[in-house]
């Protein structure tokens, strides 16, 4: 088998890898139907997050179960499954509270940009569909695995409710699906902060009502102008930089909610500023597993089409071009066909 390995900044190779095998009785091995490149993969691709050794890549996946370990009960060979980037037993106290991405048995997936994948804690991690889904729904089903699940958590954690005014900071794939999620949850006004024409267009398609192109203090000023001077009810921070986090907090009205789902890089908060901002803050690695059954059903019923964020599809052996296209912002998100 060949799989994707990052050797250093901008050095992605598709090379021989050992074929995944069942190593624990709770494992499953799946044959991927589709996989993709995540915005968070770019942190290490760009060398902002350094790696110490060649690192297999990929944590978004869906596919057909090939083989299961002796203790696996909930999924069986031949079924179509989707899993999260974080494995979970789905039985511990943290999982039962809905925070499966911090499960006591959590492992982060990292070898999914390949034709086959071993999934630990298969019973708690994977969600199977009743029938094999039609091929045209694969991009949207793949999206539930991380990018939609994360956008959905962003909207949920920011307390998006019918009639609310929502701001989405970031026009990457997660931010765009944060827009879709806020729309599904009944938000009345959805303001997206974006400077890129193609992303603005998709945001509008997903339900955005206003676009703000300014950033930093100017961006905050525009949000205040649009919200009678007080700020938004719910703000989704979907980037992870100091500027985006401050933009999010300052765009929120006192008593409002800020969610943060972009992996933070160099973000430091000022205690006094936070105290007087008077906002609820909730974020972290999205507990995608909590939402998977609902999101898969919305896709199967064709109520949502999150797969539209994939604006580039490549055979998986061209994965290096997929990274380049996202790095150079020629693509929002790259889908890889094994
Ligand atoms: Zn757990």
């Amino acid at each position: 088998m060949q799989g994707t390995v990052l050797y250093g900044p901008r050095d992605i190779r598709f090379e021989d890898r050992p074929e995944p095998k069942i190593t624990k009785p709770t494992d499953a091995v799946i044959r991927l139907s589709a996989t993709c490149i995540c915005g968070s993969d770019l942190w290490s691709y760009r060398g902002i997050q350094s790696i110490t050794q060649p690192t297999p890549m990929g944590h978004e996946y869906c596919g057909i179960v090939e083989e299961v370990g002796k203790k696996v009960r909930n999924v069986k060979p031949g079924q179509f499954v989707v899993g999260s980037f974080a494995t979970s037993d789905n039985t511990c106290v943290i999982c039962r509270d809905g925070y499966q991405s911090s499960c006591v048995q959590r492992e982060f997936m990292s070898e999914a940009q390949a034709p086959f994948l071993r999934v630990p804690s298969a019973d708690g991690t994977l969600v199977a569909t009743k029938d094999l889904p039609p091929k045209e729904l694969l991009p949207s089903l793949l999206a539930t695995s991380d990018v939609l699940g994360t956008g959905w958590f962003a909207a949920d954690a920011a307390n998006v409710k019918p009639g609310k005014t929502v701001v989405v900071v970031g026009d990457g794939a997660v931010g765009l699906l944060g827009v879709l999620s806020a729309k599904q949850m009944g938000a009345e006004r959805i303001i997206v902060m974006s400077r890129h024409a193609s992303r603005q267009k998709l945001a509008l398609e997903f339900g955005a009502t206003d676009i703000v192109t300014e950033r930093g203090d100017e961006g905050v000023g525009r949000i205040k102008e649009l919200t009678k001077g007080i700020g938004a009810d719910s703000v989704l921070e979907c980037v992870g930089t100091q500027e985006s986090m401050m933009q999010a907090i300052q765009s929120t009205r006192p008593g409002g909610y800020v969610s943060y789902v972009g992996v933070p890089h160099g973000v430091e908060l000022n205690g006094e500023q936070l105290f007087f901002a008077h906002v609820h803050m909730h974020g972290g690695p999205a507990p995608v597993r909590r939402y998977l059954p609902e999101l898969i059903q919305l896709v199967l019923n064709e109520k949502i089409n999150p797969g539209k964020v994939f604006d580039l599809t490549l055979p998986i052996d061209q994965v290096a071009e997929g990274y380049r296209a996202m790095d150079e912002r020629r693509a929002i998100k790259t889908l890889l066909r094994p």
Side-chain angles (χ1 to χ4, degrees):
M1 179 188 90
Q2 291 193 302
T4 305
V5 181
L6 178 68
Y7 274 77
R10 296 186 169 79
D11 183 2
I12 279 281
R13 303 181 200 174
F14 193 67
E15 61 176 25
D16 287 337
R17 301 269 310 145
E19 205 149 304
K21 289 193 168 47
I22 302 287
T23 57
K24 286 188 200 159
T26 46
D27 289 347
V29 170
I30 68 171
R31 174 194 294 269
L32 282 104
S33 304
T35 178
C36 57
I37 301 169
C38 182
S40 68
D41 293 334
L42 295 182
W43 292 110
S44 45
Y45 179 78
R46 289 170 172 157
I48 296 168
Q49 188 175 305
S50 58
I51 55 167
T52 51
Q53 57 188 19
T55 304
M57 299 294 284
H59 56 258
E60 297 172 74
Y61 56 96
C62 62
I64 307 290
V65 178
E66 280 276 308
E67 198 188 341
V68 297
K70 283 193 186 71
K71 287 191 178 161
V72 175
R73 297 283 171 271
N74 298 346
V75 295
K76 49 179 193 283
Q79 277 184 319
F80 179 85
V81 290
V82 184
S84 160
F85 60 85
T87 70
S88 53
D89 56 21
N90 216 23
T91 56
C92 76
V93 65
I94 299 166
C95 283
R96 279 184 284 135
D97 194 35
Y99 286 82
Q100 288 90 339
S101 45
S102 285
C103 173
V104 296
Q105 302 208 51
R106 175 188 67 193
E107 294 179 40
F108 283 116
M109 301 297 291
S110 69
E111 304 190 24
Q113 287 161 8
F116 293 93
L117 176 68
R118 181 180 76 89
V119 182
S121 302
D123 271 344
T125 302
L126 297 172
V127 175
T129 56
K130 204 156 88 14
D131 307 303
L132 292 185
K135 220 173 151 202
E136 61 272 18
L137 294 184
L138 283 178
S140 285
L141 288 166
L142 174 64
T144 65
S145 166
D146 176 1
V147 62
L148 173 62
T150 298
W152 196 270
F153 173 58
D156 194 16
N159 195 43
V160 174
K161 295 253 165 41
K164 300 277 184 188
T165 294
V166 177
V167 169
V168 178
V169 180
D171 62 3
V174 169
L176 292 168
L177 291 176
V179 171
L180 179 150
S181 303
K183 175 75 180 170
Q184 281 292 310
M185 293 176 194
E188 183 175 304
R189 195 160 186 201
I190 304 170
I191 306 165
V192 63
M193 305 189 89
S194 167
R195 297 185 152 178
H196 301 265
S198 61
R199 294 165 189 238
Q200 292 170 359
K201 191 168 160 273
L202 195 49
L204 293 169
E205 245 181 87
F206 283 153
T209 54
D210 303 80
I211 307 272
V212 166
T213 53
E214 293 87 348
R215 278 188 195 172
D217 289 344
E218 271 180 58
V220 173
R222 275 295 290 147
I223 298 296
K224 293 280 170 76
E225 276 173 37
L226 292 168
T227 54
K228 298 184 178 135
I230 63 166
D233 302 310
S234 302
V235 180
L236 287 56
E237 193 286 303
C238 304
V239 183
T241 63
Q242 180 72 21
E243 186 186 48
S244 63
M245 185 64 114
M246 291 319 296
Q247 209 168 291
I249 294 170
Q250 291 168 350
S251 298
T252 311
R253 67 162 168 82
Y257 291 75
V258 180
S259 65
Y260 49 100
V261 297
V263 183
H265 286 78
V267 175
E268 283 182 25
L269 300 180
N270 173 303
E272 196 181 339
Q273 229 173 359
L274 203 53
F275 184 80
F276 285 104
H278 219 168
V279 297
H280 302 75
M281 293 191 67
H282 185 29
V288 173
R289 177 63 183 80
R290 188 204 309 177
Y291 305 114
L292 270 181
E294 180 185 358
L295 297 179
I296 289 170
Q297 207 50 53
L298 284 170
V299 168
L300 292 176
N301 295 343
E302 300 189 49
K303 300 278 185 212
I304 54 173
N305 191 359
K308 280 189 180 166
V309 293
F310 296 109
D311 55 350
L312 179 64
T313 296
L314 294 172
I316 195 167
D317 60 354
Q318 291 175 37
V319 58
E321 167 55 16
Y323 274 83
R324 271 195 300 276
M326 283 174 64
D327 179 34
E328 295 162 9
R329 297 200 124 222
R330 284 185 280 121
I332 299 173
K333 194 168 174 73
T334 308
L335 185 142
L336 302 166
R337 295 245 180 239

